[in-house]
Amino acid sequence: MNIRAVIDFETTGLSPGMGARPTEIAVVLIDSGTIIDRYQSLMNPGVPIPYEIQTLTGITDKMVKAAPPVESVMQEAAEFVDQHPLVAHNAAFDRKFWNTELRRIDRQPQQEFICSMLLARRIFPEAPNHKLGTLVQSLSLPDTGRFHRALADAEATAYLLLRIESELMHRFCLPTVSHELLLSIQKENRSKLASCVSRYQSR
């Protein structure tokens, strides 16, 4: 088994350090080239959602008022993720909220994040840009629904990661793609992709 947990947050703002809280989370588990399970929930952030974010996501104050509190949703999400490696698109954003909200419920963040945006920049440099929606269109990935909703974005990221893995296996004749290899690739300059894979193969 090579299970990875792809996560996506919708939030009230850009940074928990500025008081932003999550409004929705989705987790998609992938293994052996396919999606095997999903978790999704709205959550009550306890703070108002700015109008422009309500317009972007479609998540309103009324919707989250009836949702469970962030703390209970994060407990469920953390149990669903378990010890599986984590993946997100523009992971720097989701990692901040994941780590902050875990600490609020006295859980210590453990896993390193794979960033599908960093990987796409190295493996598909010819893409017009590396926003999730652009990559879905340029790589002809499945349509998962409205962007800026957590489950649709998590599923789109999952399909992107599977496409990245498939490309690496084809390009470098790899039988499989490990979490460790992906972590190494995202830390390298794109010009060093081949040498990074070669070092991994020679281990």
Side-chain angles (χ1 to χ4, degrees), residues 74-96:
M74 286 300 300
Q75 287 281 9
E76 291 182 356
E79 289 168 9
F80 186 80
V81 168
D82 196 23
Q83 297 300 310
H84 301 311
L86 287 165
V87 182
H89 198 74
N90 189 18
F93 174 85
D94 295 277
R95 181 175 57 237
K96 287 187 295 187

Side-chain angles (χ1 to χ4, degrees), residues 123-141:
I123 296 163
F124 304 115
E126 71 284 355
N129 62 60
H130 295 88
K131 296 178 181 179
L132 184 58
T134 302
L135 290 165
V136 166
Q137 184 175 26
S138 63
L139 296 173
S140 300
L141 301 178

Side-chain angles (χ1 to χ4, degrees), residues 8-198:
D8 187 83
F9 281 101
E10 301 304 329
T11 68
T12 64
L14 295 177
S15 173
M18 299 178 67
R21 300 294 305 277
T23 58
E24 186 178 39
I25 187 173
V27 185
V28 174
L29 300 184
I30 57 174
D31 184 31
S32 303
T34 188
I35 293 174
I36 61 170
D37 207 352
R38 299 167 175 83
Y39 172 87
Q40 179 273 336
S41 181
L42 289 169
M43 47 185 137
N44 189 336
V47 296
I49 305 171
Y51 174 77
E52 63 271 18
I53 293 181
Q54 294 189 47
T55 301
L56 177 69
T57 66
I59 299 172
T60 65
D61 286 326
K62 183 178 179 179
M63 290 166 64
V64 298
K65 185 176 181 180
V70 173
E71 291 75 13
S72 63
V73 173
M74 286 300 300
Q75 287 281 9
E76 291 182 356
E79 289 168 9
F80 186 80
V81 168
D82 196 23
Q83 297 300 310
H84 301 311
L86 287 165
V87 182
H89 198 74
N90 189 18
F93 174 85
D94 295 277
R95 181 175 57 237
K96 287 187 295 187
F97 285 93
W98 178 257
N99 290 350
T100 297
E101 298 300 340
L102 283 189
R103 292 189 180 104
R104 285 178 182 267
I105 58 172
D106 297 320
R107 283 179 175 259
Q108 188 62 34
Q110 297 181 19
Q111 298 100 316
E112 287 190 80
F113 271 77
I114 284 174
C115 179
S116 57
M117 184 170 70
L118 292 179
L119 292 173
R121 284 174 177 168
R122 285 142 182 78
I123 296 163
F124 304 115
E126 71 284 355
N129 62 60
H130 295 88
K131 296 178 181 179
L132 184 58
T134 302
L135 290 165
V136 166
Q137 184 175 26
S138 63
L139 296 173
S140 300
L141 301 178
D143 180 1
T144 59
R146 174 177 177 160
F147 288 111
H148 301 296
R149 286 303 301 264
L151 186 57
D153 284 358
E155 288 188 349
T157 301
Y159 286 121
L160 173 60
L161 183 68
L162 294 175
R163 178 69 175 81
I164 286 168
E165 292 180 356
S166 175
E167 179 68 20
L168 286 168
M169 292 166 68
H170 174 75
R171 197 182 301 183
F172 297 104
C173 299
L174 298 171
T176 188
V177 176
S178 71
H179 188 72
E180 291 72 23
L181 176 57
L182 294 176
L183 284 172
S184 296
I185 290 172
Q186 73 180 19
K187 294 173 184 176
E188 289 282 5
N189 185 284
R190 73 186 186 195
S191 64
K192 298 181 179 179
L193 174 61
S195 60
C196 179
V197 175
S198 180

